[in-house]
Amino acid sequence: RTTRQATIRPARQPTSSLRRSFPAVAPDPRGVVPVTTPTDKLPPQDREAEKSVLGSLIRDNRVYDDIAQVLRAEDFYFDAHQKIYSCIASLIGSSKPCDALILFEEAIARGWQKEITAPYLAELWDYSPTAANAKYHAGIVKAKARRRGVIHLCMEFMRDSYDEFEP
């Protein structure tokens, strides 16, 4: 594949909302600005909502059925949270209890003790004093995952457009 130059559009003043979304690019002497994308932004995610869901699951395994209808491990943005949720799903799916100690032992068995530490599991336990709002927080995590999915698709379309890919 050959690398192509980005399409260049005539310069114009961006609206105020675009100024916040896209990095500022100075026009070149010909009066054109290269097309830019907001790739320097962090993808949509909510660490607190993810921690709340995981803490709720550790605290009260009975909410797993409600959460499993909404979330998959891939919906979590942070890798450690994906792994923790995978361990929880595996344990509860096998009709085993899941508390911080059992979860840590499962992480060790999978070789994930560097990503999933006992102090972090204790932090998750403390982070969610009740499991009452677990489904609500799971909805937030799912909404952020959907937004990341849309962004990924748009980036794929943009890349294919620059490569002049025809579906």
Side-chain angles (χ1 to χ4, degrees):
R1 268 162 68 161
T2 61
T3 306
R4 296 178 185 256
Q5 289 287 340
T7 305
I8 299 178
R9 296 184 181 156
R12 64 178 187 172
Q13 287 294 85
T15 62
S16 61
S17 63
L18 285 177
R19 279 191 203 119
R20 283 180 270 133
S21 301
F22 293 91
V25 178
D28 73 358
R30 298 173 298 184
V32 293
V33 177
V35 176
T36 59
T37 59
T39 55
D40 60 333
K41 294 179 89 174
L42 192 61
Q45 43 80 25
D46 189 332
R47 180 183 294 269
E48 289 75 24
E50 290 186 14
K51 287 171 71 172
S52 181
V53 169
L54 296 171
S56 295
L57 287 167
I58 295 168
R59 188 170 287 277
D60 185 357
N61 296 169
R62 294 174 295 182
V63 299
Y64 175 75
D65 290 334
D66 292 334
I67 302 302
Q69 292 175 3
V70 178
L71 291 179
R72 300 172 308 162
E74 300 81 33
D75 293 333
F76 289 88
Y77 177 74
F78 299 96
D79 186 55
H81 293 172
Q82 291 179 5
K83 290 177 178 179
I84 292 168
Y85 187 80
S86 294
C87 289
I88 292 170
S90 175
L91 288 167
I92 295 175
S94 302
S95 299
K96 295 178 184 173
C98 180
D99 62 16
L101 179 60
I102 296 169
L103 188 54
F104 185 62
E105 289 173 355
E106 179 71 14
I108 290 172
R110 294 181 182 208
W112 294 342
Q113 63 271 17
K114 288 185 180 180
E115 296 93 346
I116 304 173
T117 63
Y120 190 66
L121 293 174
E123 180 184 330
L124 291 176
W125 170 270
D126 291 338
Y127 196 81
S128 186
T130 179
N133 299 321
K135 194 168 183 179
Y136 175 78
H137 292 124
I140 293 171
V141 173
K142 186 66 171 186
K144 299 294 183 177
R146 284 186 184 133
R147 286 183 174 180
R148 288 193 305 272
V150 168
I151 290 169
H152 176 74
L153 282 174
C154 290
M155 296 299 281
E156 288 289 315
F157 288 142
M158 192 171 79
R159 189 201 68 215
D160 291 346
S161 295
Y162 280 121
D163 292 343
E164 296 183 18
F165 173 77
E166 292 292 329

